Amino acid sequence: MSAHPLNCTSYLSPGLLNSILSSWDLGPCLPCEIFSSERGLFTNQRQIKSINLVTCVMHYETLDFPIDISHLRNLRSLTYTSPWYPADLKLIQRFLQLRHQLSTLELQIGPIAPEIAILGHDTFDVKDLLLGNQEVGESQPFFNLETLSLRLSLNHMEADIVSALNLDCLRCVKLHNCNGTSNFLDALSNSTQSLKLGSFQLTFAPSRPDDHRSPEILSAALARFLMAFQTLEDLYLSIPRISLKAIECRTIQNHYPALRRLLLHGTIRLEDPSSYPVEISDDLFYALLTGCPVECLSLRMQLRIPVSVKPKV
């Protein structure tokens, strides 16, 4: 990143920015012109409500300048996408000090492709990142969170994350190829708090082609989760064919009459013919379309009988 674009930040009037969309490959630099609390962009921009950062920091980098974001009292939305590097985690940890005031949190930590191994990956580092440094008496550090989107490993911290959420406030959950998804769904289902989600999105593919057990465990956990509450308006599932085939109509009908948008996609791998779209059963198809409140329906499945003979929606 050249110095010229960063220098222009000094000409911005105090409090001018409401949102920062910083989507770039920072490479080996974390520019102090933006992040430094002494001379950076955050010094006089205190009305920022939304921050979106996509970074890539070299593993040997350190934050050698002061960062203080405590004055960002209007920050409500934080989106952070980053590989697994220590400097990145230190930076996002600073922002998560304001987690109690966030209404939207989207985190992708690690590679997009789930099959790529992350050297030195430690789930407990993420747990400390999200839940560490809690204040005394802070039982729900994400008390005001309404939207949670995660693409990271949830292993060994599923129940801890659920306990940190105020489910009475949470309205939208998005899980993208998260290890530990099944246990996380069970933790939500078994919570003493009542679920009131209006939107749920799940994208999941086994990390290994020979991992046949995960989809079966997922389908059972998903069924328990969908039967635990009845408030969904949006349900988006992009999951393995085995999990999709196991879906029972009652788990979807449990969210009638609220449900308005439904997406059921069977994930496939071209090298694995057994993962090709599953044949949807007549019972599920008829029940989904006959007398249901769904206004928008997307199916990626094989149908056993022509659509033309199906009853009118």
Side-chain angles (χ1 to χ4, degrees):
M1 179 177 291
S2 63
H4 179 68
L6 293 175
N7 287 339
C8 72
T9 61
S10 61
Y11 297 102
L12 293 174
S13 300
L16 178 66
L17 296 181
N18 287 327
S19 175
I20 291 182
L21 175 58
S22 299
S23 181
W24 62 70
D25 184 344
L26 287 174
C29 68
L30 277 172
C32 62
E33 288 86 352
I34 290 181
F35 297 108
S36 172
S37 57
E38 292 181 345
R39 59 187 185 280
L41 177 64
F42 289 162
T43 304
N44 61 5
Q45 299 299 324
R46 304 192 171 207
Q47 302 302 317
I48 295 174
K49 298 178 181 178
S50 175
I51 294 177
N52 185 330
L53 295 174
V54 180
T55 69
C56 177
V57 182
M58 300 302 286
H59 68 280
Y60 53 78
E61 178 145 17
T62 58
L63 301 176
D64 56 358
F65 50 84
I67 297 178
D68 181 11
I69 49 96
S70 60
H71 58 273
L72 297 179
R73 302 184 183 219
N74 291 313
L75 185 65
R76 296 295 180 268
S77 176
L78 177 61
T79 300
Y80 197 87
T81 303
S82 170
W84 188 269
Y85 291 125
D88 269 355
L89 299 184
K90 291 180 181 178
L91 178 61
I92 189 58
Q93 192 169 39
R94 302 294 179 88
F95 283 108
L96 284 176
Q97 291 174 1
L98 304 176
R99 58 196 170 194
H100 61 281
Q101 65 189 49
L102 294 177
S103 60
T104 299
L105 176 63
E106 300 184 32
L107 288 180
Q108 177 183 306
I109 299 179
I112 294 178
E115 67 273 10
I116 298 177
I118 306 173
L119 296 178
H121 189 292
D122 189 341
T123 302
F124 292 99
D125 286 344
V126 180
K127 179 178 177 180
D128 183 65
L129 175 74
L130 290 171
L131 308 176
N133 300 318
Q134 293 187 31
E135 298 179 1
V136 177
E138 185 185 22
S139 59
Q140 293 178 326
F142 293 101
F143 185 79
N144 292 303
L145 203 63
E146 298 176 6
T147 298
L148 176 64
S149 178
L150 299 175
R151 188 194 294 268
L152 48 79
S153 177
L154 299 170
N155 286 330
H156 309 298
M157 61 177 184
E158 302 92 343
D160 294 309
I161 292 180
V162 171
S163 297
L165 300 170
N166 178 10
L167 299 187
D168 192 55
C169 182
L170 192 66
R171 292 295 179 267
C172 177
V173 171
K174 302 176 183 179
L175 303 175
H176 306 281
N177 285 320
C178 298
N179 292 332
T181 290
S182 298
N183 288 337
F184 184 74
L185 292 178
D186 278 337
L188 285 171
S189 305
N190 297 328
S191 174
T192 56
Q193 303 180 68
S194 298
L195 282 168
K196 299 179 180 179
L197 294 179
S199 179
F200 177 67
Q201 178 177 326
L202 173 61
T203 302
F204 181 79
S207 57
R208 302 186 315 273
D210 60 345
D211 188 357
H212 301 298
R213 189 165 174 262
S214 292
E216 296 175 354
I217 295 175
L218 175 64
S219 60
L222 183 59
R224 290 189 291 268
F225 169 73
L226 291 175
M227 294 300 294
F229 63 110
Q230 299 176 306
T231 56
L232 282 180
E233 295 182 14
D234 304 321
L235 175 59
Y236 307 123
L237 302 177
S238 182
I239 56 179
R241 68 182 300 272
I242 298 176
S243 301
L244 201 58
K245 187 175 182 179
I247 287 181
E248 296 183 17
C249 189
R250 65 185 181 90
T251 62
I252 297 176
Q253 288 179 322
N254 189 49
H255 294 271
Y256 291 178
L259 195 64
R260 290 294 179 269
R261 287 159 290 275
L262 175 64
L263 180 147
L264 299 176
H265 285 186
T267 57
I268 64 173
R269 293 186 301 271
L270 294 179
E271 71 279 6
D272 179 12
S274 66
S275 73
Y276 289 178
V278 62
E279 186 177 81
I280 185 172
S281 69
D282 292 347
D283 292 340
L284 179 59
F285 186 80
Y286 275 116
L288 287 178
L289 293 186
T290 305
C292 77
V294 174
E295 298 172 352
C296 180
L297 177 66
S298 176
L299 301 175
R300 189 169 72 187
M301 300 175 173
Q302 296 173 339
L303 302 179
R304 284 198 288 181
I305 56 178
V307 176
S308 58
V309 304
K310 289 298 178 182
K312 186 177 181 181
V313 180

